[in-house]
Amino acid sequence: MKRVASFTEVHVEMSQKPTCRLIRSSKTYHGKQGFDYAEAISAESANSQAICMHKLTIPPGGRAKAHLHENHETAIYMLQGKSAMWYGEKLELHMELEEGDFLYIPAGMPHLPYNPSETESCTAILARTDPNEQESVTLLPELDRLKP
């Protein structure tokens, strides 16, 4: 008969030594940016030390709050649909992403992602060099007014 570790044993193991972790995302959390993220790899879920990874689905017409990630880089893979983003010090630059595109966002870069479609959701995989889910998020409400 196979023995199953108790919650206490797993918690002690996570705090003592690094090991591989399988995360079957079944929970979501609401981020400061205004979106709901599928919980995946983070310090909170996997005891990661320098990376987090999440799945984000933006509903039709959905838009984040303008923000940046202080001292942390972000990499995004557009899994399904199309997305767009305003970015730059005053959100003066714009780009559109399509399914299969990769995007790099340097640390400290203000950005405001959104879904330009009024009928289709879009889904992306996000990875950031911050192991915590939300600690490096800095909201920029003064920039939100620039892109109504």
Side-chain angles (χ1 to χ4, degrees), residues 6-8 11-12 22 30 35 49 63 68-69 72 81 87 104 110 114 119 123 128 131 137 147:
S6 71
F7 173 78
T8 303
H11 181 70
V12 168
L22 171 64
H30 190 74
F35 289 143
Q49 302 299 300
R63 165 189 159 132
L68 58 79
H69 303 277
H72 294 286
Y87 66 101
Y104 167 75
Y114 67 98
T119 59
T123 301
R128 197 167 41 253
V137 177
K147 300 299 175 189

Side-chain angles (χ1 to χ4, degrees), residues 58-63 78 81-85 94-97 113-120 122:
I58 305 175
R63 165 189 159 132
M78 200 68 207
K82 295 181 180 182
S83 178
M85 179 179 76
H94 187 263
M95 71 169 59
E96 295 184 3
L97 289 79
Y114 67 98
N115 181 348
S117 174
E118 293 299 323
T119 59
E120 303 287 326
C122 61

